[in-house]
Amino acid sequence: MQNSTEHYHQPDERGHFGPYGGRFVAETLMLPLQELDEAYQRYMKDPDFLAELDRDLKHYVGRPSPVYHAERLSRELGGAQIFLKREDLNHTGAHKVNNTVGQALLAKRMGKTRIIAETGAGQHGVATATVAARLGLECVVFMGSVDVARQAPNVLRMKLLGATVVPVEAASKTLKDAMNEAMRDWVTNVDNTFYIIGTVAGPHPYPAMVRDFQAVIGREAKLQMSELTGRLPDALIACVGGGSNAIGLFHPFIDDHDVLMVGVEAAGDGIATGRHSAPLSAGRPGVLHGNRTYLMEDEDGEIIETHSISAGLDYPGVGPEHAWLKDCGRAQYVSITDDEAMTGFHTLTRLEGIIPALESSHAIAYAMKLAPTLPSDRNILVNLSGRGDKDINTIANREGITL
Amino acid sequence: MSRISSKLLRLKQAGRKALIPFITAGDPHPEFTVPALHALVEAGADIIELGVPFSDPMADGPVIQKASERALAHKMSLRKVLELVREFRQTDTETPVVLMGYLNPVEAMGYPVFTDKAKEAGVDGVLTVDMPPEESEEFIALLTAVDIDPIFLLAPNSSAERIAKMGRLGRGYLYYVSLKGVTGASHLDLADVERKIGEIRSLTDLPIGVGFGVKNAEMAAAVSRLGDGVVVGSALVGKIEAAGENTDQALDEMTAMLRSMRAAMDA
């Protein structure tokens, strides 16, 4: 892996992206986080480790993932050309596996025998259970009980892979509560356990480490777009829950200032209703899950319940690097409602024969807004972060279809 | 000298150990809290740790998580916790009160506003579970400027370097988390605690409160022989949960437990 940016150097050595990030955890986790940081720093410079990672990404994950020119969609919209980075074609069906392969190799090198993870949509849980099965490691996945119900196919996949899925009943019973429970497990079993966080949030070094494992998306895309179009794309679009697929695409382009970067949050029923998951659009800075970032909270600093049709975006925080990219203006953050995402979902499915995840459908929906405002010689690259098979129950329920 | 330090000094001179109960403010409802604090003092509490409920209590086990949920269901908030402390102070100016909670409610209020309000209400110490000293220079300076003690956690895996750092930055006492786990866990090992406390004592002169996993009088007495104070939280809060609507029963059981701990520690 090469250092992908020349001028942009975030975070600092204590994990701060400007005022965001950091390491806000109870004392018992300070030593394990320090050990993890040391191992990560060391192995990211270790040629053997990097060679093993590259091999796994190629032969196990199926990388590089293609970039596909969605010509019919582009023609229909009548503006900029839309290209899709096909992370949905990865093994396990989403970008999440890029990171779990990396962290699992790290866990093995650190001598850990037990893997834990949190999951929302279940994609990260499946990607974690997958690599744990392959490496013969015990795997426990924490998942909010609301998400267990709405992502039943992924729950079964995790169990088939040998993982224990623990439904979390606390508070809103979604991703944030799963993350709390995973932290509680880690603090209890810290000696033999490696916590694979699935997004670019959490205490340092997770936001930087997960970003570095996901940056393979943007590095490939840069080369692929140059091959296909002879230049860099004019705009990048990716959905943002915690923000791992977005940062993975954006990061190698940060110093290419002509490339517009747009993160798409979940507006749920609409920002004005308060029922959404869009902290960058409508939240304010605070501290949760080990880092300072934008949060959805009430005036007393209690975290409020979020809503999105897509479980993977249903999270009240966001990775601290996105908070920083927003404040310094390098990336823009917009939001897309459940209804708009559904329109994006159906449009891509019908016009291109690609069924996108509901998370990724938010990025598609924003591309459908942006493309018509641009001339046809402009190129937009959308990160198609996952496939939609896992969402068929949600869609059937919403549209009154009995399976 | 702060109210906490002078209390711990007097106890030391008397050859006694501090009994430090924890309850969550507003659990099971806001009207319960102040009378409960007075009753705990009556039953032998030397210092009170008052939990500030938070929506995402990552370091707490199920008992204190549920206490937080009960309190939040009654719209408890950091502002209201400070009002409860002020009310407690109207009739008790002796017993130190330490607020224990998570950083985000304090961030939302703002450090200077919180510090001023806490001082005015009569708070003596602040223990913020998810705020290590590396991230809290500004907050520590504000607290110590108004003689509120910043209280830090130490864990079984804290390095000598970190213990020394907490010893320099902390005031009042250090809270030794006696096991790797969340509050209310049940695998406390006294030999391990004794070994680690020996190490901590070699690195700092601050008194040491020991908590996480103290469930009964026998354990309180055993732990009190090792540290300078014993923190008991989940065992008390569990009485509130078990009693449900019957808060008189909760109060009776909590004070009975504290009295038995006090007696065992002083025996």
Side-chain angles (χ1 to χ4, degrees), chain A residues 36-307:
Chain A
L36 174 61
D37 191 27
E38 284 163 9
Y40 150 70
Q41 299 291 348
R42 176 171 147 219
Y43 286 114
M44 291 308 262
K45 295 186 200 98
D46 175 351
D48 287 345
F49 179 85
L50 294 177
E52 188 175 3
L53 177 59
D54 282 348
R55 266 198 313 276
D56 282 359
L57 289 176
K58 182 176 179 188
H59 297 290
Y60 190 65
V61 175
R63 303 205 69 89
S65 68
V67 166
Y68 167 72
H69 184 190
E71 290 183 70
R72 203 168 162 223
L73 175 65
S74 306
R75 201 160 51 237
E76 194 80 14
L77 294 170
Q81 301 306 304
I82 295 177
F83 293 81
L84 306 176
K85 178 63 173 163
R86 297 292 308 275
E87 292 298 301
D88 60 316
L89 295 178
N90 291 340
H91 180 42
T92 72
H95 73 291
K96 292 291 185 188
V97 72
N98 301 327
N99 168 53
T100 59
V101 162
Q103 287 199 49
L105 289 181
L106 203 51
K108 202 175 76 175
R109 303 266 172 148
M110 291 175 75
K112 303 292 185 183
T113 56
R114 181 172 176 271
I115 298 285
I116 59 170
E118 84 294 337
T119 196
Q123 290 303 110
H124 174 58
V126 167
T128 302
T130 297
V131 295
R134 177 169 173 250
L135 297 177
L137 300 169
E138 183 190 352
C139 181
V140 178
V141 179
F142 297 93
M143 189 171 189
S145 60
V146 167
D147 292 336
V148 168
R150 64 179 163 178
Q151 301 289 343
N154 272 345
V155 174
L156 180 59
R157 290 164 84 196
M158 286 184 269
K159 288 180 177 168
L160 293 172
L161 288 159
T164 304
V165 179
V166 180
V168 178
E169 298 291 346
S172 63
K173 304 174 176 59
T174 58
L175 178 55
K176 82 173 175 77
D177 310 291
M179 200 155 175
N180 291 335
E181 204 56 34
M183 289 272 186
R184 292 182 190 116
D185 181 292
W186 197 30
V187 88
T188 306
N189 301 296
V190 68
D191 293 330
N192 72 342
T193 297
F194 189 107
Y195 179 15
I196 300 187
I197 293 184
T199 192
V200 286
H204 179 62
Y206 283 101
M209 179 172 68
V210 176
R211 172 197 72 195
D212 289 349
F213 285 133
Q214 290 293 0
V216 65
I217 301 172
R219 284 197 305 274
E220 287 176 3
K222 221 168 168 172
L223 294 173
Q224 290 165 318
M225 286 303 287
S226 294
E227 280 169 18
L228 280 167
T229 68
R231 58 194 171 88
L232 297 183
D234 297 290
L236 307 174
I237 301 177
C239 65
V240 176
S244 67
N245 90 80
I247 214 78
L249 177 63
F250 293 174
H251 190 253
F253 290 91
I254 285 181
D255 283 330
D256 300 304
H257 291 277
D258 292 337
V259 179
L260 175 69
M261 307 194 307
V262 187
V264 184
E265 294 191 298
D269 291 343
I271 298 286
T273 66
R275 283 175 47 77
H276 60 82
S277 304
L280 289 168
S281 306
R284 60 174 177 154
V287 171
L288 179 70
H289 292 152
N291 66 110
R292 182 178 284 120
T293 187
Y294 281 83
L295 299 174
M296 291 188 49
E297 59 178 19
D298 67 16
E299 59 174 356
D300 294 314
E302 306 295 345
I303 305 307
I304 56 181
E305 288 196 16
T306 54
H307 168 78

Side-chain angles (χ1 to χ4, degrees), chain A residues 14 16 21-32 34 169-171 176-177 179-181 183-185 187-191 284-290 292 295 297-304, chain B residues 53-61 65 69 72 75-79 103-109 111 129-135 137 153-159 162 166 177 179-182 187:
Chain A
R14 290 199 291 125
H16 296 110
R23 191 178 279 168
F24 294 88
V25 294
E27 176 64 16
T28 313
L29 291 179
M30 291 303 283
L31 180 70
Q34 190 187 323
E169 298 291 346
K176 82 173 175 77
D177 310 291
M179 200 155 175
N180 291 335
E181 204 56 34
M183 289 272 186
R184 292 182 190 116
D185 181 292
V187 88
T188 306
N189 301 296
V190 68
D191 293 330
R284 60 174 177 154
V287 171
L288 179 70
H289 292 152
R292 182 178 284 120
L295 299 174
E297 59 178 19
D298 67 16
E299 59 174 356
D300 294 314
E302 306 295 345
I303 305 307
I304 56 181
Chain B
F54 181 50
S55 52
D56 293 81
M58 287 188 320
D60 284 300
Q65 286 176 48
E69 287 182 14
L72 290 172
K75 309 269 183 239
M76 189 42 58
S77 65
L78 180 55
R79 281 176 301 164
L103 186 55
N104 200 50
V106 177
E107 289 243 333
M109 184 178 280
Y111 294 159
V129 176
D130 55 349
M131 189 196 66
E134 288 81 356
E135 301 285 359
E137 278 171 36
L153 297 173
L154 291 175
N157 58 2
S158 295
S159 65
R162 288 187 66 78
M166 312 289 198
V177 175
L179 48 83
K180 291 174 187 164
V182 293
H187 49 276

Side-chain angles (χ1 to χ4, degrees), chain A residues 77 79-80 82 234-237 260 262 332 363-375 379-380:
Chain A
L77 294 170
I82 295 177
D234 297 290
L236 307 174
I237 301 177
L260 175 69
V262 187
Q332 290 179 13
I364 297 292
Y366 187 72
M368 288 167 58
K369 283 187 177 178
L370 182 63
T373 69
L374 298 172
N379 299 323
I380 297 173

Side-chain angles (χ1 to χ4, degrees), chain B residues 129-152:
Chain B
V129 176
D130 55 349
M131 189 196 66
E134 288 81 356
E135 301 285 359
S136 56
E137 278 171 36
E138 180 196 351
F139 191 32
I140 294 170
L142 285 167
L143 291 172
T144 50
V146 296
D147 289 322
I148 293 179
D149 293 336
I151 291 166
F152 289 106

